[in-house]
Amino acid sequence: RHRHIVQVVSTYETTSVPRQFGIILHPAGDEDLSHYLDRLGEDDFPEVDVKRLWKWQYCLASAVAYIHAQNIRHKDIKPSNAICKGDEIFLTDFGSAHQFSAGLTSSTEGYAVGITKMYSAPEVISLDRRGRPADIYSLGCVFAEMVTVAGHRRIEAFHDFRSAPLPAAPDRMPLCYYATAHTLGDW
């Protein structure tokens, strides 16, 4: 339990064929962080909403520190896996999460199905061993988007800037943060 992580209330399974499974979570969010960031740019950056972004960085960092202290890696941190409810933000979607035993390695190899490459650390993209630092890298990518919007710049402009062709590979349009990390200082 953590005040910035959604809680599982119940699970269920249908009896009809095909069987379906469901999870009931609390709270139900108003929107996810991805939509929140888009909306702020469309609404000319309402100051009350922008101020939340600064606070929410601490909330998300606290949530990630908590799961890591519980020997859990999220493995898919991105704006659409954080839900906003009023003034609060909650980390959600632990479908790719991995628990490890204390004292044992916290790293894995390979690439899990369902992971979003855009926010993945370089070691995840290259299928190398990775651990908790990969979650921190992904959280940093989310923070870059939050800071962009908190600075009254539209998230689309940030994505356009980051997806400009690389001089060494002009035919390739990078979509992953790891491929454009060198440009963040210019932004």
Short mmCIF file of all heavy atoms in Angstrom, two decimals, residues 115-160:
data_model
loop_
_atom_site.label_atom_id
_atom_site.label_comp_id
_atom_site.label_asym_id
_atom_site.label_seq_id
_atom_site.Cartn_x
_atom_site.Cartn_y
_atom_site.Cartn_z
N ILE A 115 5.88 -4.09 -23.17
CA ILE A 115 6.70 -2.98 -22.70
C ILE A 115 6.74 -1.91 -23.78
O ILE A 115 6.83 -2.21 -24.96
CB ILE A 115 8.14 -3.46 -22.38
CG1 ILE A 115 8.12 -4.56 -21.33
CG2 ILE A 115 9.02 -2.31 -21.94
CD1 ILE A 115 7.59 -4.15 -19.99
N THR A 116 6.69 -0.65 -23.38
CA THR A 116 6.71 0.46 -24.32
C THR A 116 8.15 0.89 -24.55
O THR A 116 8.80 1.40 -23.64
CB THR A 116 5.88 1.64 -23.77
OG1 THR A 116 4.59 1.13 -23.44
CG2 THR A 116 5.78 2.75 -24.79
N LYS A 117 8.65 0.70 -25.75
CA LYS A 117 10.04 1.00 -26.05
C LYS A 117 10.37 2.48 -25.94
O LYS A 117 11.48 2.83 -25.58
CB LYS A 117 10.40 0.50 -27.45
CG LYS A 117 10.47 -1.00 -27.55
CD LYS A 117 10.93 -1.44 -28.92
CE LYS A 117 11.01 -2.95 -28.97
NZ LYS A 117 11.50 -3.41 -30.28
N MET A 118 9.41 3.37 -26.21
CA MET A 118 9.70 4.80 -26.19
C MET A 118 10.32 5.26 -24.88
O MET A 118 11.20 6.11 -24.86
CB MET A 118 8.42 5.60 -26.47
CG MET A 118 8.63 7.08 -26.51
SD MET A 118 7.13 7.89 -27.06
CE MET A 118 7.50 9.58 -26.68
N TYR A 119 9.88 4.70 -23.76
CA TYR A 119 10.35 5.11 -22.44
C TYR A 119 11.35 4.14 -21.84
O TYR A 119 11.72 4.26 -20.68
CB TYR A 119 9.15 5.27 -21.49
CG TYR A 119 8.16 6.30 -21.98
CD1 TYR A 119 7.07 5.93 -22.76
CD2 TYR A 119 8.34 7.64 -21.68
CE1 TYR A 119 6.18 6.89 -23.23
CE2 TYR A 119 7.45 8.60 -22.16
CZ TYR A 119 6.38 8.22 -22.93
OH TYR A 119 5.50 9.15 -23.40
N SER A 120 11.81 3.18 -22.62
CA SER A 120 12.71 2.14 -22.11
C SER A 120 14.16 2.60 -22.07
O SER A 120 14.63 3.34 -22.94
CB SER A 120 12.62 0.89 -22.99
OG SER A 120 11.35 0.30 -22.87
N ALA A 121 14.87 2.11 -21.07
CA ALA A 121 16.29 2.40 -20.91
C ALA A 121 17.08 1.72 -22.03
O ALA A 121 16.63 0.71 -22.60
CB ALA A 121 16.77 1.91 -19.54
N PRO A 122 18.27 2.24 -22.34
CA PRO A 122 19.08 1.63 -23.41
C PRO A 122 19.33 0.14 -23.20
O PRO A 122 19.30 -0.64 -24.16
CB PRO A 122 20.39 2.42 -23.36
CG PRO A 122 20.02 3.72 -22.75
CD PRO A 122 18.90 3.42 -21.79
N GLU A 123 19.54 -0.28 -21.95
CA GLU A 123 19.81 -1.70 -21.71
C GLU A 123 18.59 -2.57 -21.97
O GLU A 123 18.71 -3.75 -22.30
CB GLU A 123 20.35 -1.92 -20.29
CG GLU A 123 19.42 -1.54 -19.16
CD GLU A 123 19.56 -0.11 -18.68
OE1 GLU A 123 20.03 0.75 -19.45
OE2 GLU A 123 19.19 0.16 -17.52
N VAL A 124 17.40 -2.00 -21.86
CA VAL A 124 16.18 -2.74 -22.16
C VAL A 124 16.06 -2.90 -23.68
O VAL A 124 15.77 -3.98 -24.19
CB VAL A 124 14.94 -2.02 -21.59
CG1 VAL A 124 13.65 -2.71 -22.02
CG2 VAL A 124 15.02 -1.96 -20.07
N ILE A 125 16.31 -1.82 -24.41
CA ILE A 125 16.23 -1.85 -25.88
C ILE A 125 17.25 -2.84 -26.44
O ILE A 125 16.95 -3.58 -27.37
CB ILE A 125 16.48 -0.45 -26.46
CG1 ILE A 125 15.41 0.54 -25.98
CG2 ILE A 125 16.55 -0.48 -27.98
CD1 ILE A 125 14.00 0.23 -26.41
N SER A 126 18.45 -2.87 -25.88
CA SER A 126 19.49 -3.76 -26.40
C SER A 126 19.42 -5.17 -25.83
O SER A 126 20.27 -6.00 -26.10
CB SER A 126 20.88 -3.17 -26.13
OG SER A 126 21.11 -3.08 -24.75
N LEU A 127 18.36 -5.45 -25.04
CA LEU A 127 18.12 -6.78 -24.46
C LEU A 127 19.21 -7.22 -23.49
O LEU A 127 19.43 -8.41 -23.29
CB LEU A 127 17.92 -7.83 -25.56
CG LEU A 127 16.82 -7.54 -26.58
CD1 LEU A 127 16.75 -8.63 -27.63
CD2 LEU A 127 15.48 -7.36 -25.90
N ASP A 128 19.93 -6.25 -22.90
CA ASP A 128 20.95 -6.56 -21.90
C ASP A 128 20.29 -6.75 -20.54
O ASP A 128 19.11 -6.46 -20.35
CB ASP A 128 21.97 -5.43 -21.81
CG ASP A 128 22.85 -5.34 -23.05
OD1 ASP A 128 22.96 -6.35 -23.78
OD2 ASP A 128 23.40 -4.24 -23.28
N ARG A 129 21.10 -7.17 -19.57
CA ARG A 129 20.60 -7.29 -18.20
C ARG A 129 20.24 -5.91 -17.68
O ARG A 129 20.95 -4.94 -17.93
CB ARG A 129 21.65 -7.93 -17.29
CG ARG A 129 21.92 -9.39 -17.68
CD ARG A 129 22.79 -10.09 -16.68
NE ARG A 129 22.12 -10.32 -15.40
CZ ARG A 129 21.20 -11.26 -15.18
NH1 ARG A 129 20.80 -12.02 -16.17
NH2 ARG A 129 20.66 -11.41 -13.99
N ARG A 130 19.13 -5.84 -16.98
CA ARG A 130 18.72 -4.57 -16.39
C ARG A 130 17.99 -4.81 -15.10
O ARG A 130 17.47 -5.89 -14.85
CB ARG A 130 17.88 -3.73 -17.36
CG ARG A 130 16.43 -4.17 -17.55
CD ARG A 130 16.32 -5.31 -18.44
NE ARG A 130 14.96 -5.61 -18.85
CZ ARG A 130 14.72 -6.40 -19.84
NH1 ARG A 130 15.71 -6.92 -20.51
NH2 ARG A 130 13.50 -6.70 -20.16
N GLY A 131 17.97 -3.79 -14.29
CA GLY A 131 17.33 -3.89 -12.99
C GLY A 131 16.53 -2.64 -12.68
O GLY A 131 15.98 -2.00 -13.57
N ARG A 132 16.54 -2.27 -11.41
CA ARG A 132 15.77 -1.10 -10.97
C ARG A 132 16.17 0.19 -11.67
O ARG A 132 15.31 1.04 -11.90
CB ARG A 132 15.86 -0.96 -9.46
CG ARG A 132 15.09 -2.06 -8.74
CD ARG A 132 15.23 -1.96 -7.25
NE ARG A 132 16.48 -2.61 -6.87
CZ ARG A 132 16.81 -2.91 -5.64
NH1 ARG A 132 16.01 -2.61 -4.65
NH2 ARG A 132 17.94 -3.50 -5.37
N PRO A 133 17.43 0.38 -12.04
CA PRO A 133 17.78 1.62 -12.75
C PRO A 133 16.98 1.82 -14.05
O PRO A 133 16.76 2.95 -14.46
CB PRO A 133 19.27 1.47 -13.04
CG PRO A 133 19.76 0.61 -11.91
CD PRO A 133 18.64 -0.39 -11.69
N ALA A 134 16.52 0.74 -14.67
CA ALA A 134 15.71 0.89 -15.88
C ALA A 134 14.38 1.57 -15.56
O ALA A 134 13.87 2.37 -16.36
CB ALA A 134 15.47 -0.47 -16.53
N ASP A 135 13.80 1.29 -14.40
CA ASP A 135 12.59 2.00 -13.96
C ASP A 135 12.89 3.48 -13.76
O ASP A 135 12.09 4.35 -14.13
CB ASP A 135 12.06 1.44 -12.63
CG ASP A 135 11.13 0.25 -12.79
OD1 ASP A 135 10.78 -0.12 -13.92
OD2 ASP A 135 10.75 -0.31 -11.74
N ILE A 136 14.05 3.78 -13.17
CA ILE A 136 14.42 5.16 -12.91
C ILE A 136 14.62 5.91 -14.23
O ILE A 136 14.22 7.07 -14.37
CB ILE A 136 15.69 5.24 -12.03
CG1 ILE A 136 15.46 4.53 -10.69
CG2 ILE A 136 16.12 6.69 -11.82
CD1 ILE A 136 14.27 5.03 -9.89
N TYR A 137 15.22 5.27 -15.21
CA TYR A 137 15.39 5.88 -16.53
C TYR A 137 14.02 6.23 -17.12
O TYR A 137 13.80 7.34 -17.59
CB TYR A 137 16.14 4.92 -17.46
CG TYR A 137 16.43 5.53 -18.81
CD1 TYR A 137 17.64 6.15 -19.07
CD2 TYR A 137 15.48 5.48 -19.84
CE1 TYR A 137 17.90 6.72 -20.30
CE2 TYR A 137 15.74 6.04 -21.07
CZ TYR A 137 16.95 6.66 -21.30
OH TYR A 137 17.20 7.22 -22.53
N SER A 138 13.09 5.27 -17.07
CA SER A 138 11.75 5.51 -17.60
C SER A 138 11.06 6.64 -16.86
O SER A 138 10.39 7.49 -17.47
CB SER A 138 10.90 4.23 -17.50
OG SER A 138 11.48 3.20 -18.27
N LEU A 139 11.22 6.68 -15.55
CA LEU A 139 10.64 7.76 -14.76
C LEU A 139 11.24 9.10 -15.17
O LEU A 139 10.52 10.10 -15.27
CB LEU A 139 10.86 7.49 -13.27
CG LEU A 139 10.21 8.48 -12.30
CD1 LEU A 139 8.68 8.47 -12.45
CD2 LEU A 139 10.59 8.14 -10.87
N GLY A 140 12.52 9.14 -15.45
CA GLY A 140 13.17 10.36 -15.93
C GLY A 140 12.59 10.82 -17.26
O GLY A 140 12.43 12.03 -17.49
N CYS A 141 12.26 9.89 -18.13
CA CYS A 141 11.62 10.25 -19.41
C CYS A 141 10.26 10.89 -19.16
O CYS A 141 9.89 11.88 -19.80
CB CYS A 141 11.45 9.00 -20.29
SG CYS A 141 13.01 8.24 -20.80
N VAL A 142 9.50 10.33 -18.22
CA VAL A 142 8.20 10.89 -17.85
C VAL A 142 8.40 12.29 -17.27
O VAL A 142 7.68 13.23 -17.61
CB VAL A 142 7.46 9.97 -16.87
CG1 VAL A 142 6.19 10.64 -16.34
CG2 VAL A 142 7.13 8.63 -17.53
N PHE A 143 9.40 12.45 -16.42
CA PHE A 143 9.69 13.76 -15.83
C PHE A 143 10.03 14.78 -16.92
O PHE A 143 9.65 15.95 -16.81
CB PHE A 143 10.83 13.66 -14.83
CG PHE A 143 10.47 13.05 -13.51
CD1 PHE A 143 11.44 12.88 -12.55
CD2 PHE A 143 9.18 12.62 -13.22
CE1 PHE A 143 11.13 12.33 -11.31
CE2 PHE A 143 8.86 12.06 -12.00
CZ PHE A 143 9.84 11.92 -11.04
N ALA A 144 10.78 14.38 -17.95
CA ALA A 144 11.11 15.30 -19.04
C ALA A 144 9.84 15.84 -19.70
O ALA A 144 9.76 17.03 -20.04
CB ALA A 144 12.00 14.60 -20.08
N GLU A 145 8.85 14.98 -19.87
CA GLU A 145 7.59 15.43 -20.45
C GLU A 145 6.83 16.34 -19.48
O GLU A 145 6.24 17.35 -19.88
CB GLU A 145 6.74 14.23 -20.87
CG GLU A 145 7.38 13.46 -22.01
CD GLU A 145 6.51 12.37 -22.59
OE1 GLU A 145 5.33 12.25 -22.20
OE2 GLU A 145 7.01 11.65 -23.47
N MET A 146 6.84 15.98 -18.21
CA MET A 146 6.14 16.80 -17.22
C MET A 146 6.77 18.20 -17.12
O MET A 146 6.06 19.20 -17.05
CB MET A 146 6.16 16.10 -15.86
CG MET A 146 5.35 14.81 -15.83
SD MET A 146 5.58 13.87 -14.30
CE MET A 146 4.50 14.78 -13.19
N VAL A 147 8.10 18.26 -17.11
CA VAL A 147 8.79 19.54 -17.02
C VAL A 147 8.54 20.38 -18.27
O VAL A 147 8.40 21.61 -18.20
CB VAL A 147 10.30 19.32 -16.76
CG1 VAL A 147 11.09 20.59 -16.95
CG2 VAL A 147 10.50 18.75 -15.38
N THR A 148 8.47 19.73 -19.42
CA THR A 148 8.17 20.46 -20.65
C THR A 148 6.85 21.19 -20.54
O THR A 148 6.76 22.39 -20.81
CB THR A 148 8.14 19.48 -21.85
OG1 THR A 148 9.47 19.00 -22.08
CG2 THR A 148 7.62 20.14 -23.11
N VAL A 149 5.81 20.48 -20.12
CA VAL A 149 4.49 21.09 -20.01
C VAL A 149 4.45 22.09 -18.85
O VAL A 149 3.84 23.16 -18.97
CB VAL A 149 3.40 20.01 -19.88
CG1 VAL A 149 2.03 20.62 -19.63
CG2 VAL A 149 3.36 19.16 -21.16
N ALA A 150 5.13 21.79 -17.75
CA ALA A 150 5.19 22.74 -16.64
C ALA A 150 5.88 24.04 -17.06
O ALA A 150 5.59 25.10 -16.51
CB ALA A 150 5.91 22.12 -15.44
N GLY A 151 6.74 23.95 -18.05
CA GLY A 151 7.40 25.13 -18.61
C GLY A 151 6.59 25.79 -19.71
O GLY A 151 7.13 26.58 -20.49
N HIS A 152 5.31 25.43 -19.80
CA HIS A 152 4.37 26.03 -20.75
C HIS A 152 4.74 25.76 -22.21
O HIS A 152 4.58 26.63 -23.07
CB HIS A 152 4.22 27.54 -20.50
CG HIS A 152 3.63 27.83 -19.16
ND1 HIS A 152 2.45 28.50 -19.01
CD2 HIS A 152 4.03 27.53 -17.91
CE1 HIS A 152 2.16 28.61 -17.72
NE2 HIS A 152 3.12 28.02 -17.04
N ARG A 153 5.21 24.56 -22.46
CA ARG A 153 5.49 24.14 -23.83
C ARG A 153 4.67 22.89 -24.11
O ARG A 153 4.56 22.00 -23.27
CB ARG A 153 6.98 23.86 -24.01
CG ARG A 153 7.79 25.17 -23.82
CD ARG A 153 9.25 24.95 -23.95
NE ARG A 153 9.62 24.95 -25.35
CZ ARG A 153 10.87 24.83 -25.76
NH1 ARG A 153 11.85 24.68 -24.89
NH2 ARG A 153 11.16 24.83 -27.04
N ARG A 154 4.10 22.83 -25.29
CA ARG A 154 3.22 21.72 -25.65
C ARG A 154 4.01 20.43 -25.81
O ARG A 154 5.10 20.42 -26.34
CB ARG A 154 2.45 22.05 -26.93
CG ARG A 154 1.49 23.22 -26.76
CD ARG A 154 0.85 23.58 -28.07
NE ARG A 154 -0.01 22.51 -28.51
CZ ARG A 154 -1.34 22.54 -28.45
NH1 ARG A 154 -1.94 23.60 -28.00
NH2 ARG A 154 -2.05 21.52 -28.87
N ILE A 155 3.39 19.35 -25.36
CA ILE A 155 4.05 18.04 -25.43
C ILE A 155 4.30 17.62 -26.88
O ILE A 155 5.30 16.97 -27.19
CB ILE A 155 3.26 16.97 -24.62
CG1 ILE A 155 4.15 15.76 -24.32
CG2 ILE A 155 2.00 16.55 -25.33
CD1 ILE A 155 5.27 16.04 -23.38
N GLU A 156 3.41 18.03 -27.78
CA GLU A 156 3.60 17.70 -29.21
C GLU A 156 4.87 18.34 -29.75
O GLU A 156 5.59 17.73 -30.56
CB GLU A 156 2.40 18.17 -30.05
CG GLU A 156 1.10 17.50 -29.71
CD GLU A 156 0.36 18.21 -28.58
OE1 GLU A 156 0.76 19.32 -28.14
OE2 GLU A 156 -0.63 17.64 -28.09
N ALA A 157 5.16 19.56 -29.32
CA ALA A 157 6.38 20.23 -29.77
C ALA A 157 7.61 19.47 -29.28
O ALA A 157 8.61 19.35 -30.01
CB ALA A 157 6.41 21.68 -29.27
N PHE A 158 7.55 18.97 -28.06
CA PHE A 158 8.66 18.19 -27.50
C PHE A 158 8.84 16.90 -28.30
O PHE A 158 9.96 16.54 -28.66
CB PHE A 158 8.39 17.90 -26.03
CG PHE A 158 9.51 17.20 -25.31
CD1 PHE A 158 10.82 17.64 -25.42
CD2 PHE A 158 9.25 16.12 -24.49
CE1 PHE A 158 11.85 17.01 -24.73
CE2 PHE A 158 10.27 15.49 -23.80
CZ PHE A 158 11.57 15.93 -23.92
N HIS A 159 7.76 16.22 -28.60
CA HIS A 159 7.84 14.98 -29.38
C HIS A 159 8.37 15.26 -30.78
O HIS A 159 9.18 14.50 -31.31
CB HIS A 159 6.49 14.28 -29.43
CG HIS A 159 6.07 13.71 -28.12
ND1 HIS A 159 4.81 13.25 -27.89
CD2 HIS A 159 6.73 13.53 -26.95
CE1 HIS A 159 4.70 12.81 -26.65
NE2 HIS A 159 5.86 12.97 -26.07
N ASP A 160 7.93 16.36 -31.39
CA ASP A 160 8.43 16.72 -32.73
C ASP A 160 9.93 17.01 -32.68
O ASP A 160 10.68 16.58 -33.55
CB ASP A 160 7.69 17.94 -33.27
CG ASP A 160 6.25 17.64 -33.65
OD1 ASP A 160 5.88 16.45 -33.75
OD2 ASP A 160 5.48 18.62 -33.82
#
